[in-house]
Amino acid sequence: MGDVRDVVIVGSGCAGLTAAIYAARANLAPLVLAGRMPGGLLTTTTVVENFPGFPEGVDGFALMSGMQKQAERFGAEVRFGEVEKVDLSRRPFALATDDGEVLARTLIVATGAGHRHLGLESERLLENKGVTYCATCDGALPMFRNQALVVVGGGDSAMEEAMYLTRFGSRVFVVHRRDQLRASKIMGERALGNPKIEFCWNSVVADVLGVGAGKVTGVRLRDVVTGAERELGCAGLFVAIGHVPNAAFLGGQLELDAEGYIALKGGTRTSVEGVFAAGDVADRVFRQAITAAGTGCAAAIEAERYLAGLG
Ligand code: NAP
């Protein structure tokens, strides 16, 4: 049997790294398996304006690398790599990673959430050929310069992406399925007041055009009230319609709620004793950096208490 770790944290976003800071400071030498997106979703954002303590805002990437350094300073080990499978029926828990097996007395699942897709075949075929899920990652690409760009969604992410894209595109269209935004008032007002942004209300993307050309050339929009369809030429489709929890790797061994979030049993406890969940993978309500950090802290404290009880 390989090394047994007291605490293994899966995920390295706000929740995972805060759990790592707390577990490391409790001398538990946690292992963080960083996953596919080290630093988590915040690394794909620009300026984080609502994380307390940064009156001028803080760069998302800088915030996350600071958290990682802080965790490492107290003895956390951050390892790149993905967890492919877990076995929660045995003790210690076994995790199959792309770099071999890891054994854990306690497990903190902080895998966050991934981008929700529209679910269109043309969207899938044109991914990375003009269809993207992250304006801050891809917006500056030459293919989008001085072109019409379309953002789908009515939440804070869509507003942020649309405003960011006005730096590059000739015009930015926001396609939203209702006639009211879900975004916070401040973000909504900023986008509504931006002269380079045009809103297409009550509209959905029925199809992405350009499959034959091998790149996005436009979208077919459907008005959900009248059913009328029209084409809108664009070089980029930025899908910002929310997220789905990253819980598939658990293979059904933890209880999930109807939307696929990990079901919590008080605090950060899950349906399996010794397994805790923190951040967006278990939070369908708040989904903020600071709440993720808060639950990460709670999960580390609960793991520490659980270990103390094991004797
Ligand atoms: P969100 O708030 O869940 O918004 C998702 C948007 O996509 C909604 O407008 C929703 O429409 C739309 N949508 C969902 N499924 C769709 C589908 N299949 N087709 C078309 N439209 C669809 O997600 P988010 O914008 O990613 O934000 C997530 C969380 O992060 C929020 O709590 C937000 O406040 C936070 N956030 C904050 C900031 C910031 O403060 N700087 C930036 C980004 C995100 P409906 O409105 O009709 O449901």
Side-chain angles (χ1 to χ4, degrees), residues 86-111:
V86 295
D87 184 351
L88 305 180
S89 66
R90 48 180 277 201
R91 308 284 162 138
F93 305 122
L95 288 79
T97 76
D98 45 15
D99 192 30
E101 190 181 54
V102 170
L103 300 172
R105 287 194 184 87
T106 66
L107 185 64
I108 296 177
V109 181
T111 41

Side-chain angles (χ1 to χ4, degrees), residues 218-236:
V219 288
R220 189 154 49 79
L221 296 183
R222 187 172 57 241
D223 185 310
V224 293
V225 180
T226 64
E229 295 199 346
R230 69 178 170 114
E231 286 186 8
L232 182 62
C234 66

Side-chain angles (χ1 to χ4, degrees), residues 164-249:
Y164 182 72
L165 290 172
T166 58
R167 299 186 203 177
F168 311 106
S170 56
R171 190 139 192 81
V172 177
F173 296 89
V174 175
V175 174
H176 182 36
R177 63 184 178 183
R178 293 189 291 141
D179 62 357
Q180 262 176 17
L181 294 176
R182 176 173 298 279
S184 58
K185 204 159 185 288
I186 184 164
M187 302 279 283
E189 277 172 2
R190 273 186 211 164
L192 287 165
N194 189 314
K196 269 182 101 173
I197 300 178
E198 188 175 317
F199 282 79
C200 307
W201 302 106
N202 294 317
S203 298
V204 293
V205 173
D207 205 11
V208 194
L209 309 174
V211 173
K215 62 174 188 181
V216 171
T217 56
V219 288
R220 189 154 49 79
L221 296 183
R222 187 172 57 241
D223 185 310
V224 293
V225 180
T226 64
E229 295 199 346
R230 69 178 170 114
E231 286 186 8
L232 182 62
C234 66
L237 176 65
F238 294 79
V239 181
I241 58 169
H243 301 90
V244 276
N246 292 324
F249 77 101

